[in-house]
Amino acid sequence: MDFKPLSHFIDHITSWRIPWAEVIVMQHNKTIFHYKGGYANLEDKIQINDSQIVNIYSLSKILTCTAALQLVEKGAILLSDLISDYLPEYADMTVQKVLPDGRVDTERAKQPITVRDLFTMSAGFSYDLEAPSIREVVERTNGRVQTREFAAALAKEPLLFEPGTRWNYSLCHDVLAALVEVVDGRKFSSYVHDEITGPLGMIDTGFDLTDEQLTRLTPQYEYNDVLNKPVRKDGNGYRLGEEFESGGAGLLSTASDYILFLNTLTNRGTSPEGIRILSPASVDLMRTDHLNDRTRSDFSTGYHDGYGYGLGVRTHISKARSGSLSPLGEFGWSGAAGCLGIIDPETQLTIMYAQHLLNSQEPYVHPRIRNIVYACLES
């Protein structure tokens, strides 16, 4: 295996728009390549190191869906359950309706939201964190809105469509985190630590940082096209306060820490040390394509061509359409600042790619990372 093309690509993108990048490739539970380049702090020219903590944003979603699937395995919930059985504020939802004159009205939803809809982004939610009910709960709690309160506030907003009829990237997994809290009884962060990150030895993954970890939180940037350079833009706009444990975008981690979780899924739910967080059947259900004729066109566009959507993950279903060198069944997700997880049980391959740049250039970077790695395996 010759990974020079991958190191050259990392050098290329870090001399282009991305301040720094790190990639770890594991196969058969061993790290076969680890490379990083660029500056964690552009102003002070501090190079990236192995312990830099970043916002992984929507890469949190895979872990949230894993937590909820654990409850499915325990018989605590079913995918077919109505979420109003656990979150009663979702019992009587409204849906937006466009009138013939172009005005928008609302009507009572004909279909209830199911647990499956939360997993599969088909509940009808948006990703509008400025919605009136959300802004009201943030102001009322003085910025200390908690996960369960957030879910209750979101229920006051009209849905964009009837549940189950479309796919829309949204706040579904934030509500799924609230569902885990209600069903299990623990705070979502406590559940995640007790059932996933703690057993796997993930010491740098969580919603909050210790004083020591704060010293390792990497500056975040956003590329400014006018200035033609990255500019500092710290913070996580999806958190809505320190007490909101966003299942959709709230986790912080390091590349070397989060790959422990991803690699456990590559092993179909059991870590190399024998720690089981999911059954193989649950991992296979997670990476099964759950799109249908009504929802597929909402998802499978652009660089998602050839991929379906499972339970919180994209999943490879057509090499002809994707142009991807990965095998069918490869799955994973990504985050707003550019982190990427690739999970491949067939090849026993796990990839964790990290960066910390908003407007991340994901459509350019991520498909190339994937193809370069698989090509290098054959060299």
Side-chain angles (χ1 to χ4, degrees), residues 66 69-70 73 195-197 199-200 261 264-265 269-271 275-279:
T66 296
L69 275 173
Q70 290 180 332
E73 289 191 342
E195 305 296 335
I196 301 175
T197 59
L200 293 180
F261 165 67
T264 299
L265 295 183
T270 301
S271 75
I275 304 300
R276 175 165 153 165
I277 61 170
L278 280 182
S279 67

Side-chain angles (χ1 to χ4, degrees), residues 214-282:
L214 280 170
T215 67
R216 295 187 281 120
L217 178 59
T218 312
Q220 182 173 259
Y221 293 88
E222 184 174 60
Y223 199 86
N224 187 305
D225 287 302
V226 175
L227 299 177
N228 198 30
K229 67 175 184 179
V231 295
R232 283 284 289 269
K233 190 173 182 181
D234 292 326
N236 181 342
Y238 298 95
R239 279 294 301 267
L240 301 181
E242 293 181 359
E243 297 187 24
F244 176 45
E245 296 169 349
S246 169
L251 284 174
L252 300 108
S253 191
T254 66
S256 56
D257 212 47
Y258 209 67
I259 199 170
L260 300 176
F261 165 67
L262 299 176
N263 190 58
T264 299
L265 295 183
T266 295
N267 287 321
R268 300 180 75 214
T270 301
S271 75
E273 295 76 26
I275 304 300
R276 175 165 153 165
I277 61 170
L278 280 182
S279 67
S282 292

Side-chain angles (χ1 to χ4, degrees), residues 319-353:
K319 293 174 74 72
R321 296 208 327 267
S322 70
S324 174
L325 300 182
S326 65
L328 300 183
E330 169 260 311
F331 68 108
W333 201 244
S334 56
C339 287
L340 167 69
I342 294 176
I343 305 162
D344 178 1
E346 273 65 41
T347 313
Q348 277 290 289
L349 186 78
T350 310
I351 304 169
M352 176 66 191
Y353 169 78

Side-chain angles (χ1 to χ4, degrees), residues 18-161:
I18 297 169
W20 64 266
E22 179 180 10
V23 62
I24 304 174
V25 183
M26 295 183 69
Q27 191 170 35
H28 302 298
N29 301 320
K30 295 182 180 179
T31 299
I32 58 175
F33 186 73
H34 187 179
Y35 188 82
K36 52 189 177 295
Y39 294 105
N41 187 315
L42 290 177
E43 294 77 18
D44 299 328
K45 300 299 181 185
I46 298 173
Q47 293 186 332
I48 186 70
N49 63 56
D50 294 346
S51 62
Q52 301 286 170
I53 293 174
V54 298
N55 293 291
I56 64 170
Y57 290 106
S58 287
L59 203 50
S60 308
K61 289 177 167 66
I62 307 179
L63 194 145
T64 297
C65 289
T66 296
L69 275 173
Q70 290 180 332
L71 298 183
V72 173
E73 289 191 342
K74 295 171 183 175
I77 58 174
L78 294 173
L79 294 189
S80 57
D81 284 347
L82 306 185
I83 67 169
S84 58
D85 291 344
Y86 310 99
L87 307 174
E89 61 269 25
Y90 284 92
D92 189 16
M93 298 298 294
T94 60
V95 182
Q96 288 185 2
K97 179 181 179 181
V98 179
L99 300 176
D101 61 4
R103 290 183 298 114
V104 177
D105 199 358
T106 60
E107 61 182 16
R108 185 172 180 175
K110 299 180 178 64
Q111 298 182 180
I113 302 172
T114 66
V115 172
R116 177 183 284 104
D117 292 329
L118 294 184
F119 274 107
T120 60
M121 292 287 179
S122 56
F125 301 137
S126 74
Y127 228 126
D128 182 11
L129 293 174
E130 296 297 323
S133 298
I134 296 176
R135 296 317 310 164
E136 186 277 331
V137 73
V138 172
E139 293 170 8
R140 176 166 48 80
T141 60
N142 196 26
R144 300 175 70 88
V145 57
Q146 298 189 0
T147 306
R148 179 69 184 85
E149 291 176 299
F150 173 86
L154 183 62
K156 299 175 183 177
E157 294 296 320
L159 301 174
L160 300 182
F161 50 82

Side-chain angles (χ1 to χ4, degrees), residues 199-219:
L200 293 180
M202 298 169 64
I203 60 175
D204 280 329
T205 301
F207 293 99
D208 299 296
L209 300 179
T210 65
D211 290 342
E212 185 277 328
Q213 288 172 327
L214 280 170
T215 67
R216 295 187 281 120
L217 178 59
T218 312

Side-chain angles (χ1 to χ4, degrees), residues 116 120 167 283-293 295-296 299-300 304 306-318 321 329-331:
R116 177 183 284 104
T120 60
W167 185 93
V283 175
D284 287 343
L285 181 64
M286 173 184 274
R287 65 184 179 132
T288 296
D289 180 24
H290 288 256
L291 297 175
N292 56 41
D293 291 341
T295 59
R296 189 167 307 283
F299 177 77
S300 299
H304 281 148
Y307 281 81
Y309 192 77
L311 303 181
V313 295
R314 56 154 207 287
T315 184
H316 195 189
I317 60 173
S318 172
R321 296 208 327 267
E330 169 260 311
F331 68 108

